[in-house]
Amino acid sequence: MLSVKQVLRFMRFWPPYWASGIRVRDFSEDLTRITVSMRLSRRNTNYVGTHFGGNLYSMCDPWYMFILLEHLGSNYIVWDKAAEIDFVYPGRGTVTADFVIPLSEIEELKKELLTSTKLLPIYSTEIIDESGRTVARVRKTLYVKRKTPQSESPNA
């Protein structure tokens, strides 16, 4: 099985990301931060010549889950539960988003999971264009639970 760092390096070849031009640009050594970018091209342009909204969301989809999976380990279930995207300004050129969960927050989740059945942490990021303008705001709700023999899905 590939490590999360290996997956991050090879994500550019995953067909939806390759086709859209989405790239993992950087990640911290401790995997608490992942930076993703997407440049505007014919493959991700909408009818009016700006970034297609579905691609803007797609570039934000798995990263908070990846960070938590790496830090919580195999004794936990981590799923994306819900997402919201607020389109603020037309995206042109290269857009970038940073996904960060500090180690202190991850440790707090672990502590809370000792007494809670499940948690639904919410994380937010902004997609920024080359001039520093906010293109979209993304809010992700994750489902986090310690594994038990019966727990397999977010509905458990």
Side-chain angles (χ1 to χ4, degrees):
M1 181 144 154
L2 294 175
S3 72
V4 171
K5 287 181 182 182
Q6 290 170 317
V7 169
L8 291 175
R9 288 187 181 103
F10 292 109
M11 281 298 285
R12 78 177 111 187
F13 302 112
W14 187 49
Y17 276 23
W18 176 82
S20 300
I22 297 168
R23 303 283 184 264
V24 174
R25 289 290 173 209
D26 192 28
F27 54 89
S28 62
E29 188 61 34
D30 66 357
L31 287 173
T32 57
R33 179 191 50 78
I34 299 170
T35 302
V36 178
S37 67
M38 177 175 56
R39 65 184 208 345
L40 188 63
S41 72
R42 289 181 297 152
R43 296 182 307 203
N44 60 22
T45 303
N46 64 21
Y47 184 71
V48 294
T50 61
H51 278 285
F52 175 64
N55 288 353
L56 289 170
Y57 173 74
S58 182
M59 74 181 278
C60 299
D61 188 27
W63 309 117
Y64 288 120
M65 186 179 79
F66 275 18
I67 292 169
L68 286 183
L69 283 169
E70 177 66 15
H71 287 278
L72 295 178
S74 61
N75 290 329
Y76 295 85
I77 296 168
V78 181
W79 290 93
D80 284 324
K81 179 133 177 77
E84 297 174 31
I85 187 165
D86 179 27
F87 299 105
V88 178
Y89 192 83
R92 296 181 179 90
T94 299
V95 294
T96 304
D98 285 312
F99 305 91
V100 179
I101 305 177
L103 284 174
S104 59
E105 284 186 36
I106 295 168
E107 290 305 315
E108 187 61 34
L109 280 176
K110 285 181 182 178
K111 286 180 190 174
E112 288 180 44
L113 285 165
L114 293 174
T115 58
S116 298
T117 306
K118 67 179 179 185
L119 296 176
L120 301 172
I122 298 171
Y123 300 102
S124 299
T125 194
E126 292 188 347
I127 300 171
I128 307 296
D129 69 12
E130 294 165 308
S131 66
R133 193 173 15 228
T134 299
V135 171
R137 291 183 184 94
V138 177
R139 191 172 125 121
K140 299 280 305 232
T141 302
L142 273 59
Y143 170 96
V144 183
K145 181 177 180 175
R146 277 184 295 129
K147 281 186 180 176
T148 62
Q150 297 82 22
S151 56
E152 296 177 6
S153 74
N155 298 323

